[in-house]
Short mmCIF file of all heavy atoms in Angstrom, two decimals:
data_model
loop_
_atom_site.label_atom_id
_atom_site.label_comp_id
_atom_site.label_asym_id
_atom_site.label_seq_id
_atom_site.Cartn_x
_atom_site.Cartn_y
_atom_site.Cartn_z
N ASP A 403 0.38 34.51 -84.12
CA ASP A 403 0.34 33.16 -83.55
C ASP A 403 -0.18 32.15 -84.58
O ASP A 403 -1.15 31.43 -84.34
CB ASP A 403 -0.53 33.12 -82.28
CG ASP A 403 0.05 33.97 -81.16
OD1 ASP A 403 1.28 34.12 -81.13
OD2 ASP A 403 -0.72 34.48 -80.33
N GLU A 404 0.49 32.10 -85.74
CA GLU A 404 0.10 31.19 -86.82
C GLU A 404 1.28 30.35 -87.26
O GLU A 404 2.43 30.82 -87.26
CB GLU A 404 -0.45 31.99 -88.01
CG GLU A 404 -1.73 32.74 -87.72
CD GLU A 404 -2.29 33.42 -88.96
OE1 GLU A 404 -2.44 32.72 -90.00
OE2 GLU A 404 -2.56 34.63 -88.91
N ASN A 405 0.99 29.11 -87.65
CA ASN A 405 2.02 28.17 -88.12
C ASN A 405 1.94 28.03 -89.63
O ASN A 405 0.85 28.00 -90.21
CB ASN A 405 1.82 26.80 -87.47
CG ASN A 405 2.16 26.81 -86.00
OD1 ASN A 405 3.32 26.94 -85.62
ND2 ASN A 405 1.16 26.66 -85.15
N PHE A 406 3.13 27.92 -90.25
CA PHE A 406 3.23 27.73 -91.69
C PHE A 406 4.26 26.63 -91.96
O PHE A 406 5.26 26.51 -91.23
CB PHE A 406 3.65 29.03 -92.39
CG PHE A 406 2.72 30.18 -92.11
CD1 PHE A 406 2.95 31.04 -91.05
CD2 PHE A 406 1.61 30.39 -92.90
CE1 PHE A 406 2.10 32.09 -90.78
CE2 PHE A 406 0.74 31.44 -92.64
CZ PHE A 406 0.99 32.29 -91.59
N VAL A 407 4.02 25.87 -93.03
CA VAL A 407 4.89 24.73 -93.35
C VAL A 407 5.34 24.85 -94.80
O VAL A 407 4.52 25.04 -95.71
CB VAL A 407 4.15 23.39 -93.14
CG1 VAL A 407 5.08 22.23 -93.50
CG2 VAL A 407 3.66 23.27 -91.70
N PHE A 408 6.67 24.74 -95.01
CA PHE A 408 7.26 24.68 -96.34
C PHE A 408 7.95 23.33 -96.51
O PHE A 408 8.61 22.85 -95.58
CB PHE A 408 8.28 25.80 -96.55
CG PHE A 408 7.69 27.18 -96.60
CD1 PHE A 408 7.62 27.95 -95.44
CD2 PHE A 408 7.23 27.71 -97.79
CE1 PHE A 408 7.08 29.23 -95.48
CE2 PHE A 408 6.68 28.99 -97.82
CZ PHE A 408 6.61 29.74 -96.67
N GLN A 409 7.83 22.75 -97.69
CA GLN A 409 8.55 21.52 -97.99
C GLN A 409 9.90 21.90 -98.59
O GLN A 409 9.95 22.63 -99.59
CB GLN A 409 7.74 20.66 -98.98
CG GLN A 409 8.08 19.18 -98.91
CD GLN A 409 7.61 18.53 -97.62
OE1 GLN A 409 6.57 18.88 -97.09
NE2 GLN A 409 8.37 17.59 -97.10
N ALA A 410 10.99 21.43 -97.99
CA ALA A 410 12.32 21.81 -98.44
C ALA A 410 13.29 20.66 -98.22
O ALA A 410 13.37 20.11 -97.12
CB ALA A 410 12.81 23.06 -97.70
N SER A 411 14.03 20.31 -99.25
CA SER A 411 15.00 19.23 -99.15
C SER A 411 16.16 19.65 -98.24
O SER A 411 16.60 20.80 -98.26
CB SER A 411 15.53 18.88 -100.54
OG SER A 411 16.64 18.01 -100.46
N SER A 412 16.65 18.71 -97.45
CA SER A 412 17.77 19.01 -96.55
C SER A 412 19.05 19.33 -97.32
O SER A 412 19.93 20.01 -96.81
CB SER A 412 18.01 17.82 -95.61
OG SER A 412 18.26 16.64 -96.34
N LYS A 413 19.15 18.84 -98.56
CA LYS A 413 20.36 19.10 -99.36
C LYS A 413 20.42 20.54 -99.85
O LYS A 413 21.51 21.08 -100.04
CB LYS A 413 20.39 18.15 -100.56
CG LYS A 413 20.52 16.67 -100.17
CD LYS A 413 20.56 15.79 -101.40
CE LYS A 413 20.69 14.32 -101.02
NZ LYS A 413 20.71 13.43 -102.21
N THR A 414 19.28 21.16 -100.06
CA THR A 414 19.25 22.52 -100.59
C THR A 414 18.79 23.54 -99.55
O THR A 414 18.64 24.73 -99.88
CB THR A 414 18.31 22.59 -101.80
OG1 THR A 414 16.98 22.23 -101.39
CG2 THR A 414 18.79 21.66 -102.91
N LEU A 415 18.56 23.11 -98.31
CA LEU A 415 18.03 24.01 -97.30
C LEU A 415 18.96 25.19 -97.05
O LEU A 415 18.51 26.33 -96.89
CB LEU A 415 17.77 23.26 -96.00
CG LEU A 415 17.14 24.08 -94.86
CD1 LEU A 415 15.73 24.51 -95.26
CD2 LEU A 415 17.10 23.29 -93.57
N HIS A 416 20.27 24.95 -97.03
CA HIS A 416 21.22 26.03 -96.73
C HIS A 416 21.29 27.06 -97.86
O HIS A 416 21.87 28.14 -97.68
CB HIS A 416 22.61 25.44 -96.48
CG HIS A 416 23.25 24.84 -97.70
ND1 HIS A 416 22.90 23.59 -98.17
CD2 HIS A 416 24.20 25.31 -98.54
CE1 HIS A 416 23.60 23.31 -99.25
NE2 HIS A 416 24.39 24.34 -99.49
N GLN A 417 20.70 26.74 -99.01
CA GLN A 417 20.68 27.70 -100.12
C GLN A 417 19.37 28.48 -100.18
O GLN A 417 19.22 29.34 -101.04
CB GLN A 417 20.89 26.96 -101.45
CG GLN A 417 22.23 26.25 -101.55
CD GLN A 417 22.37 25.51 -102.87
OE1 GLN A 417 21.41 25.35 -103.62
NE2 GLN A 417 23.57 25.04 -103.15
N ARG A 418 18.44 28.19 -99.28
CA ARG A 418 17.14 28.86 -99.29
C ARG A 418 17.14 30.07 -98.36
O ARG A 418 17.96 30.17 -97.44
CB ARG A 418 16.03 27.89 -98.87
CG ARG A 418 16.07 26.54 -99.57
CD ARG A 418 15.87 26.65 -101.07
NE ARG A 418 14.53 27.04 -101.42
CZ ARG A 418 13.53 26.17 -101.63
NH1 ARG A 418 13.73 24.86 -101.48
NH2 ARG A 418 12.34 26.60 -102.00
N THR A 419 16.19 30.94 -98.58
CA THR A 419 16.07 32.18 -97.81
C THR A 419 14.60 32.44 -97.50
O THR A 419 13.75 32.34 -98.40
CB THR A 419 16.65 33.38 -98.59
OG1 THR A 419 18.03 33.15 -98.84
CG2 THR A 419 16.48 34.67 -97.80
#
Side-chain angles (χ1 to χ4, degrees):
D403 296 332
E404 296 185 52
N405 289 291
F406 303 91
V407 179
F408 292 94
Q409 204 69 35
S411 169
S412 57
K413 296 180 180 179
T414 61
L415 183 65
H416 68 282
Q417 298 179 349
R418 312 297 292 271
T419 299

